[in-house]
Amino acid sequence: MLDKKKDIRALTKEQLRDFFVENGDKAFRGNQVYEWLWSKSLHTFEDMTNISKQTREMLEANFVINHIKVDSMQKSADGTIKNGIKLHDGLVVESVLIPTKKRTTACVSSQVGCSLDCKFCATSRLKRMRNLNPDEIYDQVVIIDQQSRLYHNRKLTNIVFMGMGEPLMNYKNVLKSIEMITSPEGLGMSSKRITVSTSGVPKMIKMMADEEVKFGLAVSLHSAIDEVRTSIMPFNTTFPLKDLRESLEYWYEKTKRTVTYEYIVWEGINDKKEDITALVDFCKAVPCKVNLIEYNPIDDGEFQQASSSAINNYISNLEMNDITVNVRKSRGKDIDAACGQLANKA
């Protein structure tokens, strides 16, 4: 049976201060506890050494700290680390540390399972069981930062919300986690080092623009032709490209921030001239760059990586139209930690 006590990290600093005042203590005690919980990422009340034993026992009687645990860890030959993260209720998500020569990146999950139905992604085959809380997202970053320091001798430099789940379907908790990750009272990371990747939820993209967020936006696009995109990402019938394009124009008007398009080219699906022409046209809506991503199979053979000539056709046509294009080689494929593979064998 799950503990019915409230998770203390669901409280704001002000609520913690009020709790102590209501229980006959000083308000500043709330500041001390808040620091232990967030900037020091402590998981037990017993280790809060600058507060009395009596106060620690009071906290223990009223609250829990629902921290995550690394249930399994796999290391790739290229240095990538995939974590199986067990949550307080026994559910599991995965997160990944991706090292390169210049940076280490945390790929974090935002949902248990996924709200959407992309046919090429292993995670989408899991039903969405629940959203992650802000502290559960935050804890993934803390753990990967520790791993980066331990195994690669440097602190974490970047964060991408590209793990399990659709971040914009967990909008409130994702933004709260970013607020704490970037806060001086949390991890103090720069918003410019964070990218939220979405399959494209126009209403929520506009909402982010209205809130003038400072992090980057990436869109998992994969086709700029509605019929093709719907065949591989069925939710496109609900959020068609016209609406997506309009929301991105709104995003850029409000934030002046470039959009990144994530794009996989598959044989026989989106490797034709008309697919390239449609992408070039879509890219002209707002300043952007395109990441052509290597496809990572999920064992059913329905999708096959396009030929190198098809990839080169994309590159030459994008560059001819002054659109920045990068080819991203996948990392961690040998442990199913690459893009689209999370939960493949969970």
Side-chain angles (χ1 to χ4, degrees):
M1 185 173 178
L2 294 179
D3 200 321
K4 298 297 183 183
K5 291 185 284 188
K6 187 176 181 67
D7 183 356
I8 193 168
R9 286 190 293 179
L11 273 59
T12 64
K13 184 198 285 189
E14 291 68 30
Q15 289 171 325
L16 267 177
R17 288 168 59 88
D18 291 344
F19 170 80
F20 279 103
V21 171
E22 291 164 5
N23 284 273
D25 208 331
K26 302 292 186 184
F28 78 87
R29 196 72 67 203
N31 299 356
Q32 292 176 311
V33 172
Y34 194 81
E35 182 180 9
W36 282 116
L37 294 172
W38 294 103
S39 65
K40 296 182 180 178
S41 300
L42 204 68
H43 292 162
T44 64
F45 297 116
E46 185 58 36
D47 292 333
M48 296 181 180
T49 53
N50 63 348
I51 59 177
S52 69
K53 182 178 180 181
Q54 181 181 0
T55 302
R56 297 197 301 268
E57 289 173 348
M58 179 180 69
L59 290 171
E60 193 79 50
N62 285 277
F63 301 106
V64 292
I65 307 173
N66 286 330
H67 63 90
I68 67 175
K69 298 177 181 177
V70 177
D71 192 50
S72 63
M73 185 177 74
Q74 293 173 271
K75 295 181 184 177
S76 167
D78 63 21
T80 299
I81 296 174
K82 181 172 77 170
N83 298 299
I85 299 293
K86 182 171 282 189
L87 309 175
H88 70 92
D89 54 5
L91 295 175
V92 175
V93 295
E94 293 179 342
S95 60
V96 184
L97 166 63
I98 307 166
T100 61
K101 289 182 179 180
K102 295 183 179 180
R103 66 180 66 178
T104 53
T105 300
C107 177
V108 299
S109 293
S110 56
Q111 294 181 310
V112 184
C114 188
S115 303
L116 301 180
D117 51 10
C118 303
K119 292 183 178 181
F120 52 86
C121 178
T123 307
S124 70
R125 299 181 178 188
L126 304 173
K127 67 176 183 179
R128 189 197 71 80
M129 287 171 267
R130 72 171 175 86
N131 290 332
L132 294 190
N133 297 325
D135 53 278
E136 293 172 322
I137 299 170
Y138 182 93
D139 282 352
Q140 292 175 68
V141 177
V142 171
I143 284 172
I144 293 176
D145 179 52
Q146 293 169 348
Q147 292 175 334
S148 179
R149 294 170 190 266
L150 178 62
Y151 296 108
H152 298 283
N153 200 32
R154 51 183 160 164
K155 66 180 182 180
L156 184 69
T157 59
N158 294 75
I159 303 168
V160 292
F161 282 76
M162 296 183 186
M164 296 169 64
E166 166 53 61
L168 299 193
M169 293 295 195
N170 186 17
Y171 184 86
K172 181 180 177 182
N173 289 350
V174 165
L175 261 64
K176 178 62 179 177
S177 72
I178 293 174
E179 178 187 330
M180 292 309 305
I181 289 165
T182 57
S183 169
E185 296 182 314
L187 299 180
M189 292 189 69
S190 169
S191 297
K192 295 178 181 178
R193 297 285 187 171
I194 299 173
T195 300
V196 171
S197 177
T198 176
S199 293
V201 187
K203 178 181 177 181
M204 310 314 290
I205 291 173
K206 288 181 177 180
M207 190 178 295
M208 285 197 300
D210 284 334
E211 296 196 36
E212 298 181 352
V213 299
K214 304 300 182 186
F215 51 78
L217 174 65
V219 176
S220 186
L221 188 61
H222 311 304
S223 179
I225 300 173
D226 268 314
E227 294 78 9
V228 177
R229 195 167 193 257
T230 297
S231 73
I232 58 176
M233 306 168 81
F235 68 86
N236 187 69
T237 57
T238 305
F239 308 124
L241 287 166
K242 179 178 73 70
D243 294 349
L244 176 59
R245 182 169 179 158
E246 180 192 350
S247 71
L248 296 172
E249 289 170 341
Y250 187 83
W251 161 272
Y252 185 75
E253 178 187 336
K254 285 278 189 175
T255 68
K256 301 302 181 204
R257 297 185 69 82
T258 300
V259 176
T260 298
Y261 295 123
E262 297 158 345
Y263 201 100
I264 302 172
V265 186
W266 292 283
E267 182 180 330
I269 294 176
N270 60 350
D271 58 350
K272 297 177 286 297
K273 177 65 177 177
E274 55 262 38
D275 298 298
I276 300 173
T277 301
L279 176 59
V280 169
D281 178 67
F282 196 89
C283 286
K284 291 177 180 177
V286 298
C288 65
K289 66 178 181 179
V290 176
N291 286 340
L292 294 178
I293 302 171
E294 181 182 2
Y295 177 59
N296 304 298
I298 54 174
D299 294 343
D300 58 11
E302 180 181 355
F303 294 88
Q304 299 294 330
Q305 176 78 34
S307 66
S308 56
S309 62
I311 303 294
N312 289 335
N313 284 339
Y314 265 95
I315 294 170
S316 60
N317 277 271
L318 289 165
E319 289 180 341
M320 196 184 308
N321 285 275
D322 297 319
I323 299 164
T324 300
V325 56
N326 301 298
V327 177
R328 297 286 190 226
K329 295 294 184 182
S330 294
R331 300 177 65 85
K333 287 195 291 184
D334 56 329
I335 56 171
D336 294 321
C339 184
Q341 291 185 316
L342 295 191
N344 192 23
K345 296 179 180 176

